[in-house]
Protein backbone atom coordinates (compact mmCIF):
# COMPACT_ATOMS: atom_id res chain seq x y z
CA UNK A 1 0.00 0.00 0.00
CA UNK A 2 1.36 3.43 -0.94
CA UNK A 3 2.27 5.94 1.75
CA UNK A 4 2.99 9.66 1.64
CA UNK A 5 6.06 11.14 3.28
CA UNK A 6 6.09 14.82 4.22
CA UNK A 7 8.87 16.85 5.77
CA UNK A 8 7.12 19.85 7.24
CA UNK A 9 7.95 23.49 7.65
CA UNK A 10 7.99 24.94 4.11
CA UNK A 11 5.68 27.83 3.21
CA UNK A 12 3.79 27.06 -0.01
CA UNK A 13 4.03 29.46 -2.91
CA UNK A 14 2.70 29.29 -6.47
CA UNK A 15 -0.29 28.12 -8.48
CA UNK A 16 -2.40 25.01 -7.88
CA UNK A 17 -4.82 23.99 -10.63
CA UNK A 18 -8.17 22.89 -9.17
CA UNK A 19 -9.65 19.74 -10.73
CA UNK A 20 -13.26 19.04 -11.61
CA UNK A 21 -15.37 18.23 -8.55
CA UNK A 22 -15.61 14.55 -7.58
CA UNK A 23 -19.00 15.07 -5.92
CA UNK A 24 -20.35 16.80 -9.03
CA UNK A 25 -18.87 14.28 -11.50
CA UNK A 26 -20.30 11.18 -9.77
CA UNK A 27 -23.99 12.18 -10.02
CA UNK A 28 -23.38 13.66 -13.49
CA UNK A 29 -22.10 10.25 -14.63
CA UNK A 30 -25.27 8.54 -13.38
CA UNK A 31 -27.33 11.06 -15.37
CA UNK A 32 -26.01 9.24 -18.47
CA UNK A 33 -28.50 6.46 -17.59
CA UNK A 34 -31.36 8.86 -18.41
CA UNK A 35 -30.70 8.98 -22.18
CA UNK A 36 -28.90 7.10 -24.95
CA UNK A 37 -26.46 10.00 -25.03
CA UNK A 38 -23.79 10.64 -25.75
CA UNK A 39 -23.25 12.60 -22.55
CA UNK A 40 -19.84 14.24 -22.63
CA UNK A 41 -18.45 15.52 -19.35
CA UNK A 42 -15.59 17.98 -19.70
CA UNK A 43 -13.13 18.83 -16.91
CA UNK A 44 -13.64 15.34 -15.46
CA UNK A 45 -11.30 14.49 -12.58
CA UNK A 46 -9.15 11.35 -12.77
CA UNK A 47 -9.84 9.65 -9.43
CA UNK A 48 -10.38 6.19 -8.00
CA UNK A 49 -14.07 6.97 -7.34
CA UNK A 50 -14.56 7.98 -10.98
CA UNK A 51 -13.06 4.64 -12.07
CA UNK A 52 -15.46 2.86 -9.68
CA UNK A 53 -18.47 4.72 -11.10
CA UNK A 54 -17.27 3.94 -14.64
CA UNK A 55 -17.11 0.23 -13.76
CA UNK A 56 -20.61 0.37 -12.24
CA UNK A 57 -22.14 2.06 -15.29
CA UNK A 58 -20.29 -0.27 -17.67
CA UNK A 59 -21.71 -3.32 -15.94
CA UNK A 60 -25.16 -1.71 -16.38
CA UNK A 61 -24.39 -1.72 -20.13
CA UNK A 62 -23.17 1.80 -20.92
CA UNK A 63 -20.20 2.41 -23.22
CA UNK A 64 -17.75 4.78 -21.57
CA UNK A 65 -14.56 6.32 -22.82
CA UNK A 66 -12.35 8.14 -20.33
CA UNK A 67 -10.17 10.46 -22.41
CA UNK A 68 -7.63 11.34 -19.70
CA UNK A 69 -5.56 13.66 -21.87
CA UNK A 70 -8.65 15.64 -22.85
CA UNK A 71 -10.10 15.34 -19.32
CA UNK A 72 -13.37 14.08 -20.81
CA UNK A 73 -15.76 11.25 -20.07
CA UNK A 74 -17.92 10.17 -22.98
CA UNK A 75 -20.88 7.98 -22.05
CA UNK A 76 -23.49 6.43 -24.31
CA UNK A 77 -25.92 3.57 -24.79
CA UNK A 78 -28.84 2.27 -22.77
CA UNK A 79 -28.65 0.16 -19.64
CA UNK A 80 -29.22 -3.53 -20.31
CA UNK A 81 -28.63 -4.74 -16.74
CA UNK A 82 -30.68 -3.02 -14.04
CA UNK A 83 -28.79 -4.42 -11.04
CA UNK A 84 -26.08 -2.55 -9.09
CA UNK A 85 -24.12 -5.29 -7.28
CA UNK A 86 -22.94 -5.25 -3.67
CA UNK A 87 -19.29 -5.61 -4.70
CA UNK A 88 -19.27 -2.16 -6.30
CA UNK A 89 -21.83 -0.36 -4.10
CA UNK A 90 -19.99 -1.31 -0.89
CA UNK A 91 -16.86 0.44 -2.23
CA UNK A 92 -18.64 3.68 -3.02
CA UNK A 93 -21.93 4.89 -1.58
CA UNK A 94 -22.55 7.30 -4.47
CA UNK A 95 -23.46 4.13 -6.44
CA UNK A 96 -26.97 4.46 -5.00
CA UNK A 97 -27.44 7.40 -7.38
CA UNK A 98 -28.17 4.95 -10.21
CA UNK A 99 -31.47 4.09 -8.51
CA UNK A 100 -33.52 7.16 -9.51
CA UNK A 101 -32.38 7.24 -13.15
CA UNK A 102 -32.88 3.47 -13.66
CA UNK A 103 -36.40 3.38 -12.18
CA UNK A 104 -37.41 6.53 -14.04
CA UNK A 105 -36.20 5.32 -17.44
CA UNK A 106 -36.52 1.53 -17.30
CA UNK A 107 -39.29 1.11 -14.71
CA UNK A 108 -37.26 -0.96 -12.27
CA UNK A 109 -33.91 -1.41 -10.57
CA UNK A 110 -32.20 -3.62 -8.05
CA UNK A 111 -29.48 -1.80 -6.11
CA UNK A 112 -27.46 -3.14 -3.20
CA UNK A 113 -28.03 -1.27 0.07
CA UNK A 114 -24.82 0.64 0.74
CA UNK A 115 -24.58 -0.21 4.47
CA UNK A 116 -22.75 1.93 7.01
CA UNK A 117 -19.44 3.62 6.41
CA UNK A 118 -16.53 5.04 8.38
CA UNK A 119 -18.13 8.45 8.99
CA UNK A 120 -21.63 7.34 9.99
CA UNK A 121 -24.60 5.05 9.39
CA UNK A 122 -25.72 7.05 6.36
CA UNK A 123 -29.19 5.61 5.65
CA UNK A 124 -30.91 6.06 2.26
CA UNK A 125 -34.48 6.24 3.58
CA UNK A 126 -35.08 9.70 2.07
CA UNK A 127 -34.16 8.43 -1.41
CA UNK A 128 -36.60 5.52 -1.03
CA UNK A 129 -39.48 7.51 0.50
CA UNK A 130 -39.23 10.05 -2.31
CA UNK A 131 -39.45 7.34 -4.97
CA UNK A 132 -42.43 5.82 -3.16
CA UNK A 133 -44.16 9.20 -3.25
CA UNK A 134 -43.60 9.13 -7.00
CA UNK A 135 -45.51 5.85 -7.14
CA UNK A 136 -42.66 3.32 -6.95
CA UNK A 137 -42.98 0.12 -4.97
CA UNK A 138 -39.90 -0.53 -2.89
CA UNK A 139 -38.93 -3.75 -1.17
CA UNK A 140 -35.77 -4.73 0.63
CA UNK A 141 -34.59 -8.26 0.02
CA UNK A 142 -31.28 -9.95 0.83
CA UNK A 143 -29.47 -6.64 1.19
CA UNK A 144 -30.87 -5.23 -2.03
CA UNK A 145 -33.32 -2.41 -2.74
CA UNK A 146 -35.84 -3.55 -5.34
CA UNK A 147 -37.76 -0.66 -6.85
CA UNK A 148 -40.54 -0.83 -9.43
CA UNK A 149 -42.31 2.07 -11.08
CA UNK A 150 -46.13 1.86 -11.44
CA UNK A 151 -47.57 1.01 -14.88
CA UNK A 152 -47.01 4.10 -17.03
CA UNK A 153 -43.92 5.12 -15.08
CA UNK A 154 -43.11 7.37 -12.12
CA UNK A 155 -45.50 10.21 -11.37
CA UNK A 156 -44.68 13.74 -10.27
CA UNK A 157 -45.13 14.45 -6.55
CA UNK A 158 -44.48 17.07 -3.91
CA UNK A 159 -41.61 15.79 -1.79
CA UNK A 160 -40.78 17.67 1.39
CA UNK A 161 -37.44 16.55 2.77
CA UNK A 162 -37.49 16.44 6.60
CA UNK A 163 -33.70 16.88 6.50
CA UNK A 164 -31.37 18.21 3.81
CA UNK A 165 -29.74 15.41 1.80
CA UNK A 166 -27.44 15.97 -1.15
CA UNK A 167 -27.78 12.43 -2.50
CA UNK A 168 -31.56 12.17 -2.07
CA UNK A 169 -32.02 15.54 -3.81
CA UNK A 170 -29.85 14.32 -6.71
CA UNK A 171 -31.56 10.92 -7.04
CA UNK A 172 -35.07 12.39 -7.01
CA UNK A 173 -34.13 15.32 -9.25
CA UNK A 174 -32.93 12.86 -11.89
CA UNK A 175 -35.97 10.61 -11.46
CA UNK A 176 -38.34 13.58 -11.73
CA UNK A 177 -36.94 14.57 -15.14
CA UNK A 178 -38.62 11.55 -16.74
CA UNK A 179 -41.68 11.30 -14.45
CA UNK A 180 -45.19 12.09 -15.63
CA UNK A 181 -46.19 15.61 -14.53
CA UNK A 182 -44.66 18.02 -12.04
CA UNK A 183 -42.40 17.21 -9.12
CA UNK A 184 -41.63 19.69 -6.40
CA UNK A 185 -38.61 19.09 -4.16
CA UNK A 186 -38.93 21.18 -1.00
CA UNK A 187 -36.03 21.68 1.43
CA UNK A 188 -33.76 20.44 -1.35
CA UNK A 189 -29.99 20.56 -0.87
CA UNK A 190 -28.41 23.70 -2.36
CA UNK A 191 -24.83 22.50 -2.71
CA UNK A 192 -23.17 23.77 -5.92
CA UNK A 193 -23.02 20.15 -7.14
CA UNK A 194 -26.86 20.10 -7.27
CA UNK A 195 -26.88 23.23 -9.42
CA UNK A 196 -24.30 21.62 -11.69
CA UNK A 197 -26.39 18.47 -12.07
CA UNK A 198 -29.49 20.55 -12.83
CA UNK A 199 -27.59 22.53 -15.49
CA UNK A 200 -26.46 19.31 -17.16
CA UNK A 201 -29.96 17.81 -17.04
CA UNK A 202 -31.34 20.99 -18.64
CA UNK A 203 -28.71 20.69 -21.38
CA UNK A 204 -30.07 17.15 -21.93
CA UNK A 205 -33.59 18.61 -22.30
CA UNK A 206 -34.95 18.54 -18.73
CA UNK A 207 -37.30 21.28 -17.49
CA UNK A 208 -36.20 22.48 -14.06
CA UNK A 209 -36.94 25.68 -12.17
CA UNK A 210 -35.54 27.03 -8.91
CA UNK A 211 -31.93 25.99 -9.52
CA UNK A 212 -29.75 27.29 -6.68
CA UNK A 213 -32.69 27.43 -4.24
CA UNK A 214 -34.17 24.98 -1.74
CA UNK A 215 -37.29 24.45 -3.91
CA UNK A 216 -36.80 22.70 -7.23
CA UNK A 217 -39.73 22.30 -9.60
CA UNK A 218 -39.32 19.73 -12.35
CA UNK A 219 -41.71 19.27 -15.25
CA UNK A 220 -41.25 15.71 -16.52
CA UNK A 221 -40.41 15.16 -20.20
CA UNK A 222 -40.73 11.97 -22.31
CA UNK A 223 -37.04 11.62 -23.08
CA UNK A 224 -33.67 13.31 -22.71
CA UNK A 225 -30.99 13.68 -25.36
CA UNK A 226 -27.25 14.16 -25.85
CA UNK A 227 -25.31 16.95 -24.13
CA UNK A 228 -21.83 18.24 -23.39
CA UNK A 229 -21.30 19.66 -19.94
CA UNK A 230 -18.25 20.99 -18.03
CA UNK A 231 -17.91 19.73 -14.42
CA UNK A 232 -17.60 22.57 -11.87
CA UNK A 233 -14.27 23.06 -10.07
CA UNK A 234 -13.90 21.09 -6.83
CA UNK A 235 -14.74 23.45 -3.97
CA UNK A 236 -13.52 20.97 -1.36
CA UNK A 237 -10.18 20.50 -3.11
CA UNK A 238 -9.91 24.31 -3.28
CA UNK A 239 -10.78 24.66 0.42
CA UNK A 240 -8.24 21.97 1.29
CA UNK A 241 -5.43 23.73 -0.56
CA UNK A 242 -6.51 27.06 0.97
CA UNK A 243 -5.90 25.42 4.36
CA UNK A 244 -2.53 24.14 3.08
CA UNK A 245 -1.46 27.68 2.20
CA UNK A 246 -2.75 28.95 5.54
CA UNK A 247 -1.18 26.28 7.73
CA UNK A 248 2.26 26.84 6.15
CA UNK A 249 2.04 30.65 6.16
CA UNK A 250 2.23 30.69 2.36
CA UNK A 251 0.47 32.20 -0.65
CA UNK A 252 -1.16 30.19 -3.42
CA UNK A 253 -3.40 30.88 -6.38
CA UNK A 254 -6.13 28.23 -6.61
CA UNK A 255 -6.63 28.24 -10.36
CA UNK A 256 -10.27 28.04 -11.42
CA UNK A 257 -11.69 28.06 -7.87
CA UNK A 258 -14.78 30.21 -7.26
CA UNK A 259 -15.52 32.15 -4.09
CA UNK A 260 -19.29 31.64 -4.30
CA UNK A 261 -18.83 27.85 -4.22
CA UNK A 262 -16.98 27.99 -0.90
CA UNK A 263 -19.98 29.28 1.06
CA UNK A 264 -19.14 29.84 4.73
CA UNK A 265 -15.68 28.28 4.34
CA UNK A 266 -14.25 31.51 2.90
CA UNK A 267 -15.75 33.63 5.71
CA UNK A 268 -14.45 31.31 8.41
CA UNK A 269 -10.96 31.28 6.88
CA UNK A 270 -10.99 35.08 6.86
CA UNK A 271 -12.15 35.14 10.50
CA UNK A 272 -9.18 32.91 11.31
CA UNK A 273 -6.75 35.40 9.76
CA UNK A 274 -6.41 33.99 6.24
CA UNK A 275 -6.61 36.34 3.28
CA UNK A 276 -8.93 35.01 0.54
CA UNK A 277 -9.24 37.17 -2.57
CA UNK A 278 -11.21 36.41 -5.72
CA UNK A 279 -9.40 37.03 -9.01
CA UNK A 280 -10.47 36.49 -12.61
CA UNK A 281 -8.39 33.27 -12.77
CA UNK A 282 -9.15 31.82 -9.34
CA UNK A 283 -8.76 32.46 -5.63
CA UNK A 284 -5.60 33.88 -4.10
CA UNK A 285 -5.11 32.59 -0.55
CA UNK A 286 -2.38 33.78 1.77
CA UNK A 287 -1.56 33.96 5.42
CA UNK A 288 1.01 36.50 6.46
CA UNK A 289 0.20 36.93 10.16
CA UNK A 290 -0.92 34.62 12.96
CA UNK A 291 -3.99 32.39 12.91
CA UNK A 292 -6.79 32.95 15.44
CA UNK A 293 -8.84 30.20 16.99
CA UNK A 294 -12.28 30.29 15.31
CA UNK A 295 -15.43 28.30 16.08
CA UNK A 296 -17.27 26.43 13.35
CA UNK A 297 -20.32 24.25 13.04
CA UNK A 298 -20.88 22.13 9.94
CA UNK A 299 -24.14 22.72 8.09
CA UNK A 300 -25.67 22.12 4.66
CA UNK A 301 -24.58 24.62 1.99
CA UNK A 302 -24.12 27.58 2.18
CA UNK A 303 -23.05 26.70 5.74
CA UNK A 304 -19.61 25.35 6.59
CA UNK A 305 -19.10 22.04 4.67
CA UNK A 306 -18.67 18.84 6.66
CA UNK A 307 -16.17 17.85 3.96
CA UNK A 308 -13.92 20.73 5.18
CA UNK A 309 -14.20 20.04 8.91
CA UNK A 310 -11.12 17.83 9.30
CA UNK A 311 -8.92 20.16 7.25
CA UNK A 312 -10.06 23.22 9.24
CA UNK A 313 -9.40 21.37 12.48
CA UNK A 314 -5.81 20.68 11.35
CA UNK A 315 -5.43 24.42 10.76
CA UNK A 316 -6.85 25.28 14.17
CA UNK A 317 -4.28 22.96 15.80
CA UNK A 318 -1.64 25.67 15.22
CA UNK A 319 -3.84 28.77 15.76
CA UNK A 320 -3.57 31.17 18.70
CA UNK A 321 -6.28 30.35 21.23
CA UNK A 322 -9.08 27.83 21.21
CA UNK A 323 -11.70 26.84 18.68
CA UNK A 324 -14.82 24.78 19.07
CA UNK A 325 -15.65 22.57 16.12
CA UNK A 326 -19.11 21.01 15.97
CA UNK A 327 -20.05 18.35 13.45
CA UNK A 328 -23.79 18.24 12.78
CA UNK A 329 -24.00 16.22 9.53
CA UNK A 330 -22.32 12.89 10.32
CA UNK A 331 -22.16 11.20 13.71
CA UNK A 332 -18.65 9.76 13.45
CA UNK A 333 -16.52 12.31 11.67
CA UNK A 334 -13.75 12.93 14.22
CA UNK A 335 -11.50 10.03 13.35
CA UNK A 336 -8.68 12.41 12.52
CA UNK A 337 -8.64 13.65 16.15
CA UNK A 338 -6.56 10.83 17.73
CA UNK A 339 -4.16 10.96 14.78
CA UNK A 340 -3.73 14.75 15.05
CA UNK A 341 -3.11 14.25 18.77
CA UNK A 342 -0.29 11.83 17.91
CA UNK A 343 1.29 14.81 16.14
CA UNK A 344 1.08 16.95 19.27
CA UNK A 345 -2.33 18.59 18.78
CA UNK A 346 -4.33 19.48 21.91
CA UNK A 347 -7.90 18.42 21.27
CA UNK A 348 -10.70 17.26 23.54
CA UNK A 349 -13.91 15.96 22.11
CA UNK A 350 -17.20 14.81 23.42
CA UNK A 351 -20.10 13.77 21.22
CA UNK A 352 -20.35 16.07 18.26
CA UNK A 353 -18.02 18.85 19.47
CA UNK A 354 -14.28 19.18 19.76
CA UNK A 355 -12.27 21.88 21.49
CA UNK A 356 -8.94 22.53 19.85
CA UNK A 357 -6.32 24.49 21.78
CA UNK A 358 -3.65 25.72 19.41
CA UNK A 359 0.00 24.77 19.93
CA UNK A 360 2.99 26.62 18.43
CA UNK A 361 4.12 23.60 16.43
CA UNK A 362 3.03 20.06 15.58
CA UNK A 363 5.57 17.27 15.32
CA UNK A 364 5.79 14.73 12.51
CA UNK A 365 4.64 11.14 13.16
CA UNK A 366 3.41 8.06 11.30
CA UNK A 367 -0.39 8.39 11.02
CA UNK A 368 -3.35 6.80 9.28
CA UNK A 369 -6.99 7.62 8.73
CA UNK A 370 -10.14 5.86 7.70
CA UNK A 371 -11.68 8.33 5.28
CA UNK A 372 -10.80 10.77 2.57
CA UNK A 373 -11.06 14.13 4.35
CA UNK A 374 -9.51 12.80 7.57
CA UNK A 375 -6.51 11.57 5.55
CA UNK A 376 -5.97 14.90 3.85
CA UNK A 377 -6.17 16.72 7.20
CA UNK A 378 -3.15 14.66 8.26
CA UNK A 379 -1.31 15.73 5.11
CA UNK A 380 -2.03 19.36 6.06
CA UNK A 381 -0.81 18.79 9.60
CA UNK A 382 2.33 17.17 8.18
CA UNK A 383 3.04 20.23 6.02
CA UNK A 384 3.21 22.38 9.16
CA UNK A 385 4.85 19.85 11.49
CA UNK A 386 8.45 19.70 12.52
CA UNK A 387 10.13 16.60 11.11
CA UNK A 388 8.75 13.74 9.09
CA UNK A 389 5.16 12.57 8.79
CA UNK A 390 4.18 9.35 7.04
CA UNK A 391 0.51 9.15 6.04
CA UNK A 392 -0.55 5.53 5.60
CA UNK A 393 -3.55 4.20 3.63
CA UNK A 394 -3.13 6.65 0.79
CA UNK A 395 -5.88 4.89 -1.16
CA UNK A 396 -8.36 7.05 0.78
CA UNK A 397 -6.71 10.16 -0.67
CA UNK A 398 -6.71 8.71 -4.18
CA UNK A 399 -10.49 8.38 -4.03
CA UNK A 400 -10.94 12.13 -4.03
CA UNK A 401 -7.73 14.11 -4.63
CA UNK A 402 -6.03 14.10 -8.00
CA UNK A 403 -2.23 13.90 -7.70
CA UNK A 404 -2.28 15.55 -4.28
CA UNK A 405 1.44 15.04 -3.70
CA UNK A 406 2.39 16.38 -7.13
CA UNK A 407 0.21 19.48 -6.73
CA UNK A 408 1.69 20.24 -3.30
CA UNK A 409 5.28 19.51 -4.38
CA UNK A 410 4.85 21.93 -7.29
CA UNK A 411 4.22 24.79 -4.83
CA UNK A 412 7.22 23.95 -2.67
CA UNK A 413 6.11 21.24 -0.24
CA UNK A 414 8.60 18.52 0.62
CA UNK A 415 6.27 15.63 -0.08
CA UNK A 416 6.56 12.34 -1.93
CA UNK A 417 4.68 9.11 -2.47
CA UNK A 418 6.38 5.96 -1.30
CA UNK A 419 5.23 2.99 -3.37
CA UNK A 420 4.42 -0.44 -1.94
C1 LIG B 1 -22.69 13.87 -0.04
O1 LIG B 1 -22.98 12.63 0.58
C2 LIG B 1 -21.23 13.85 -0.38
N1 LIG B 1 -20.96 12.74 -1.30
C3 LIG B 1 -20.40 13.74 0.89
O2 LIG B 1 -19.03 13.84 0.55
C4 LIG B 1 -20.76 14.91 1.83
O3 LIG B 1 -20.08 14.75 3.05
C5 LIG B 1 -22.28 14.94 2.07
O4 LIG B 1 -22.98 14.98 0.80
C6 LIG B 1 -22.72 16.14 2.90
O5 LIG B 1 -22.34 17.32 2.27
C7 LIG B 1 -21.18 12.89 -2.59
O6 LIG B 1 -21.63 13.93 -3.06
C8 LIG B 1 -20.84 11.75 -3.50
P1 LIG B 1 -26.33 13.51 2.51
P2 LIG B 1 -24.50 12.18 0.79
O7 LIG B 1 -27.37 12.63 1.94
O8 LIG B 1 -25.31 12.61 -0.37
C9 LIG B 1 -28.52 11.78 6.40
C10 LIG B 1 -16.71 13.33 0.70
O9 LIG B 1 -15.84 13.34 1.61
N2 LIG B 1 -29.39 11.04 5.47
O10 LIG B 1 -26.41 14.96 2.26
O11 LIG B 1 -24.47 10.72 1.12
C11 LIG B 1 -27.09 11.27 6.35
O12 LIG B 1 -26.90 10.12 7.15
C12 LIG B 1 -18.12 12.83 0.98
O13 LIG B 1 -16.47 13.66 -0.47
C13 LIG B 1 -30.47 10.32 5.97
O14 LIG B 1 -30.71 10.28 7.18
O15 LIG B 1 -24.87 13.00 2.09
C14 LIG B 1 -26.33 12.47 6.84
O16 LIG B 1 -26.38 12.51 8.25
C15 LIG B 1 -18.31 12.06 2.19
N3 LIG B 1 -31.26 9.65 5.09
C16 LIG B 1 -27.13 13.65 6.28
O17 LIG B 1 -28.43 13.11 5.97
C17 LIG B 1 -31.04 9.67 3.75
O18 LIG B 1 -31.80 9.04 3.00
C18 LIG B 1 -26.56 14.28 5.01
O19 LIG B 1 -26.26 13.27 4.09
C19 LIG B 1 -29.95 10.42 3.25
C20 LIG B 1 -29.15 11.10 4.13
Amino acid sequence: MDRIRIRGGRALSGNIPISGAKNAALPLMTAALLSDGPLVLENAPDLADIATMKALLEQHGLLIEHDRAGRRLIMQGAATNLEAPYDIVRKMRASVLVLGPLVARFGEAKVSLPGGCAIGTRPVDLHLKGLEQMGATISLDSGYIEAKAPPGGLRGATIIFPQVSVGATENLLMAACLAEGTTELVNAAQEPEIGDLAMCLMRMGARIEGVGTARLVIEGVRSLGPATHPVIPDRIEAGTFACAAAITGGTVLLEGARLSDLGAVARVLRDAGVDVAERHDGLQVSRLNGLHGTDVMTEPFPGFATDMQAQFMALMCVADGASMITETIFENRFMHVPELMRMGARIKYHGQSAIVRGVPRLSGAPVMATDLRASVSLVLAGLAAQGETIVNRVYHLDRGYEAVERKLAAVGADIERLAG
Side-chain angles (χ1 to χ4, degrees), residues 134-148:
M134 297 173 83
T137 313
I138 310 268
S139 55
L140 301 180
D141 187 29
S142 312
Y144 277 79
I145 305 160
E146 293 188 12
K148 269 198 175 42

Side-chain angles (χ1 to χ4, degrees), residues 22-24 26-27 93-94 97 119 121-127 163-168 170 191 235 306-307 328-331 333 371-373:
K22 166 182 84 89
N23 289 347
L26 293 173
R93 300 180 52 86
L97 295 174
I119 60 176
T121 49
R122 303 182 75 180
V124 290
D125 55 314
L126 302 175
H127 304 234
Q163 162 184 4
V164 176
S165 162
V166 173
E170 291 166 342
E191 271 66 6
R235 65 194 168 100
T306 173
D307 291 348
T328 72
I329 308 290
F330 293 111
E331 65 271 24
R333 218 176 189 182
D371 88 278
L372 169 62
R373 310 302 171 187

